[in-house]
Amino acid sequence: FYLRDCCFNRGLGGAGMILQRALGVDVDGKVGPKTMAAIGTVSPTDLLQRLRQAREWYEREKKKRNESSDLWRGLVNRWNNALRLATELARQEVVS
């Protein structure tokens, strides 16, 4: 869910970069075998937290946005709301 929201907001390449940053692999925006292998090394809850941090990194470093941007508050709200919902979905999956 969270990564899908990244795709919607930043496209496939941006979402790929966010995922790669979260996993600590080389960031090129192209999800390949190294990125896929790294996914299995992180718990879903930890990955969600890392994705949230990486999403902020992407906006700051790649899009040069920060708190001075008119869009910043809305972006932070979007990221946090998506994180809350994705975390709840992950918990439901574990319980099922």
Side-chain angles (χ1 to χ4, degrees):
F1 173 85
Y2 197 83
L3 201 52
R4 183 185 67 171
D5 191 63
C6 294
C7 287
F8 177 79
N9 202 235
R10 286 291 162 222
L12 292 176
M17 291 176 138
I18 291 166
L19 176 61
Q20 289 167 328
R21 173 72 178 204
L23 294 170
V25 299
D26 291 339
V27 177
D28 64 5
K30 296 177 179 134
V31 176
K34 290 180 183 176
T35 304
M36 296 303 292
I39 290 173
T41 67
V42 183
S43 74
T45 304
D46 191 27
L47 179 57
L48 286 171
Q49 292 298 322
R50 290 181 186 194
L51 284 168
R52 167 58 182 86
Q53 292 169 354
R55 206 163 180 185
E56 186 167 335
W57 162 84
Y58 182 87
E59 288 299 319
R60 290 181 185 279
E61 298 299 317
K62 300 297 181 183
K63 296 298 176 183
K64 305 300 183 200
R65 284 203 178 103
N66 59 32
E67 291 81 358
S68 67
S69 169
D70 291 339
L71 301 174
W72 189 256
R73 197 164 114 170
L75 288 169
V76 170
N77 285 337
R78 180 189 186 106
W79 305 332
N80 292 340
N81 289 335
L83 177 62
R84 270 191 294 279
L85 182 53
T87 301
E88 180 60 32
L89 291 171
R91 284 188 189 127
Q92 289 176 10
E93 185 66 29
V94 170
V95 173
S96 296

